[in-house]
Amino acid sequence: MATDETAVQDPQFAVDPVVLEVGQRFVDAGFELSLVGGPVRDIFLGRTSPDLDFTTSAGPDQTLAVIKGWADAHWDIGREYGTIGLRKGRHQIEITTYRADAYDPESRKPAVAFGKDLVADLERRDFSMNAMALRLPSLELVDPFGGLTDLHAGILRTPGTPELSFSDDPLRMMRAARFASQLGVGVAPEVRAAMTDMAERIEIISAERVRDELVKLIKGAAPRAGIDLLVETGLADRVLPEVPALRLEADEHHRHKDVYQHSLQVLEQAASLETGPEGPVPGPDFVLRFAALMHDVGKPATRRFEPGGGVSFRHHDAVGAKLVKKRMKALRFDNDTIKAVARLVELHMRFYGYGDAGWTDSAVRRYVTDAGPLLERLHRLTRSDVTTRNQRKADRLSFAYDDLEHRIAELASQEELAAIRPDLDGEQIMAILGVRPGPVVGRAYKFLLNERMDNGPVSEDEARERLLEWWAAQPESAVCTDRTDESENA
């Protein structure tokens, strides 16, 4: 196979001096070194890649010898796979020996075989636009599989047949969807067909690797395109089945909206409401976006056709929160992320009671307290959930939410809504009631918190009076009184 090997026109504008420096060191030592993959692709996209990946004819031990005394630090955790990591100034660098991997179709891990040829190494990479290299330090472009042409055309192709590529590493099918999201590219017909035919092979990939690709997809510039590709090829049925389940079959009278397309629109709208780094929800925000995608996953299980011809989804928010927790646990997400996404799904319908009838100050306080640190995300999720084409209805909901946010700000100026606590703490409760730590203290604390929510802050004396009134009605109060009497009589 002939290589498209030409000098890149004035690439220095995008190539950091450290790239040329390390390239010269390897050449001086008698080895080949090339910048490869994403960093090369990003040069032609006019972007600066956060990673610097190199491939070399040197073995791992030889690579260590070349960088010794030059790198600020190095590590060889990937040595078994031919990869040596190092840090030079602000750069994190990985240098990998030419590879000629052979995969066991039933295994999650490659059987590593080192190669001696750059083109053979490029042929084993995922997509042609990632199978380009810059020889160093000459900056000659090596593009044997038409990656630059595909990049300009915005199309994903594989260096070899997609069937062989996806058989070697099924995660590449997820990666295709991720690139559709991140780069806004389409996939070649043969790639889409192979993804559809081989979707079941994703099941041999670890949940952690699938999760990492999904996170990158959701945080991409066009997540809708990536999700659509997963759904259309059947991959979502295996890694995120709750999403394709949203494609509820349309009844003959079209009595409900397309929940799947609605969810994708909510995802897009939520992403558009993210803020810059200094704002309350810096984008891209996975928690907000994933909650937007998953907010209605409880609808298929709760759909009911009503006698009057309507369709209801009662309690789909609570059901959806449970489904989200289950799916995210299966994908090995951390507990904090699971709790945050599930909580947003659980709360996403809460606002509609306000839009219908307005709320008391107590209800506003509860809304803020229940949302806690997720309040700004909940604001954006709730606003994004309006996808109606009825402009009058959309304006009414927008106005109602504007009013709610104004109420929240107004109360926040008077009270510390973000950290509402009862007017008495646990130590004070025990001292006033003369009880020890136990369930009674928890119940008293909850009573005072509800009082705080309903009536706002009060003085310590008033809180004490309310607590004693509550205590007088509790069965434990009589027991404590009897014990006190017995002690005094003795």
Side-chain angles (χ1 to χ4, degrees):
M1 182 180 295
T3 66
D4 180 1
E5 192 162 332
T6 57
V8 179
Q9 296 298 313
D10 192 25
Q12 286 85 350
F13 75 95
V15 176
D16 193 281
V18 74
V19 172
L20 302 177
E21 189 176 342
V22 68
Q24 191 62 56
R25 288 186 69 88
F26 273 77
V27 168
D28 290 346
F31 302 109
E32 297 177 358
L33 184 77
S34 298
L35 185 68
V36 71
V40 178
R41 178 199 68 221
D42 286 347
I43 286 175
F44 293 101
L45 290 174
R47 308 191 317 182
T48 299
S49 178
D51 306 310
L52 290 177
D53 297 326
F54 298 87
T55 186
T56 181
S57 60
D61 291 337
Q62 294 167 322
T63 293
L64 284 170
V66 173
I67 67 169
K68 186 176 181 181
W70 177 78
D72 298 328
H74 70 270
W75 48 93
D76 59 0
I77 192 170
R79 188 173 187 163
E80 176 185 357
Y81 299 99
T83 300
I84 301 298
L86 63 96
R87 178 173 55 81
K88 179 67 174 178
R90 61 184 176 85
H91 297 288
Q92 298 274 44
I93 292 172
E94 286 192 350
I95 301 175
T96 303
T97 303
Y98 292 155
R99 298 267 288 271
D101 293 350
Y103 286 74
D104 179 344
E106 302 306 320
S107 174
R108 296 178 176 183
K109 297 181 179 180
V112 177
F114 296 144
K116 294 293 183 182
D117 178 69
L118 174 59
V119 173
D121 178 90
L122 296 177
E123 187 173 14
R124 55 161 288 278
R125 296 180 179 269
D126 54 4
F127 301 106
S128 60
M129 63 177 62
N130 295 328
M132 299 185 290
L134 283 181
R135 289 192 186 275
L136 301 171
S138 64
L139 295 176
E140 290 177 311
L141 174 65
V142 182
D143 181 16
F145 305 104
L148 191 55
T149 299
D150 288 345
L151 186 62
H152 288 156
I155 195 78
L156 279 177
R157 300 185 191 277
T158 53
T161 66
E163 290 80 8
L164 179 60
S165 180
F166 298 154
S167 179
D168 281 351
D169 185 359
L171 189 66
R172 290 171 175 172
M173 296 186 288
M174 287 288 298
R175 204 169 293 147
R178 188 243 291 185
F179 286 132
S181 171
Q182 288 183 328
L183 304 178
V185 296
V187 296
E190 68 274 14
V191 172
R192 183 184 292 268
M195 291 171 67
T196 303
D197 293 342
M198 303 175 67
E200 77 282 353
R201 279 195 51 76
I202 198 65
E203 293 174 2
I204 73 168
I205 300 298
S206 70
E208 291 83 358
R209 294 182 73 201
V210 170
R211 174 203 64 207
D212 291 347
E213 289 297 327
L214 180 62
V215 170
K216 293 174 183 176
L217 184 162
I218 295 295
K219 294 173 70 173
R224 181 173 193 153
I227 293 296
D228 253 340
L229 184 57
L230 290 182
V231 170
E232 290 169 4
T233 57
L235 281 163
D237 290 324
R238 292 164 172 82
V239 301
L240 202 61
E242 295 78 9
V243 173
L246 293 172
R247 296 180 297 179
L248 302 173
E249 65 275 13
D251 59 280
E252 59 180 337
H253 301 295
H254 302 285
R255 291 175 290 185
H256 61 80
K257 69 176 69 176
D258 185 325
V259 183
Y260 172 66
Q261 292 299 331
H262 163 75
S263 297
L264 293 184
Q265 187 176 347
V266 174
L267 168 60
E268 286 185 318
Q269 292 180 172
S272 73
L273 294 178
E274 292 168 340
T275 65
E278 304 304 319
V281 185
D285 186 90
F286 174 79
V287 169
L288 171 61
R289 293 185 180 200
F290 200 55
L293 175 66
M294 304 291 281
H295 76 286
D296 275 346
V297 295
K299 281 191 171 181
T302 59
R303 184 175 61 158
R304 299 291 182 271
F305 293 105
E306 302 296 344
V311 180
S312 67
F313 304 96
R314 291 187 180 90
H315 307 302
H316 76 273
D317 43 358
V319 172
K322 292 178 181 178
L323 291 173
V324 165
K325 286 181 182 178
K326 183 178 180 181
R327 178 55 49 200
M328 293 184 75
K329 285 179 181 177
L331 289 170
R332 304 292 192 271
F333 278 92
D334 64 276
N335 287 334
D336 288 344
T337 304
I338 293 173
K339 289 177 181 177
V341 174
R343 188 62 166 159
L344 285 173
V345 171
E346 182 182 7
L347 294 174
H348 83 273
M349 291 294 293
R350 181 77 65 86
F351 156 73
Y352 288 94
Y354 184 91
D356 292 338
W359 285 347
T360 63
D361 286 352
S362 172
V364 174
R365 291 188 191 99
R366 290 181 187 279
Y367 186 78
V368 173
T369 302
D370 289 347
L374 298 171
L375 182 61
E376 289 291 344
R377 289 186 175 108
L378 183 57
H379 286 334
R380 286 156 177 77
L381 175 58
T382 303
R383 288 185 180 278
S384 300
D385 196 21
V386 179
T387 61
T388 178
R389 294 180 182 178
N390 184 326
Q391 191 59 48
R392 181 175 296 180
K393 181 179 179 181
D395 290 343
R396 177 174 59 80
L397 290 171
S398 179
F399 177 80
Y401 208 85
D402 288 343
D403 185 63
L404 175 57
E405 288 203 56
H406 176 73
R407 292 272 305 283
I408 291 172
E410 200 171 52
L411 283 174
S413 69
Q414 304 166 18
E415 312 169 23
E416 292 184 19
L417 287 185
I420 287 181
R421 299 289 186 273
D423 295 297
L424 299 173
D425 62 24
E427 294 291 338
Q428 291 171 305
I429 291 171
M430 288 187 289
I432 292 169
L433 302 184
V435 298
R436 296 179 178 179
V440 168
V441 180
R443 282 169 34 219
Y445 187 92
K446 185 176 181 180
F447 163 76
L448 288 173
L449 180 59
N450 285 332
E451 285 288 306
R452 174 75 166 78
M453 293 286 191
D454 291 339
N455 304 304
V458 297
S459 68
E460 184 176 331
D461 288 342
E462 188 172 347
R464 174 190 176 92
E465 183 178 337
R466 292 181 183 181
L467 175 63
L468 289 173
E469 288 177 1
W470 171 85
W471 177 238
Q474 305 305 307
E476 294 89 346
S477 173
V479 175
C480 289
T481 301
D482 291 342
R483 287 177 179 172
T484 301
D485 291 343
E486 290 174 3
S487 176
E488 290 175 352
N489 291 334

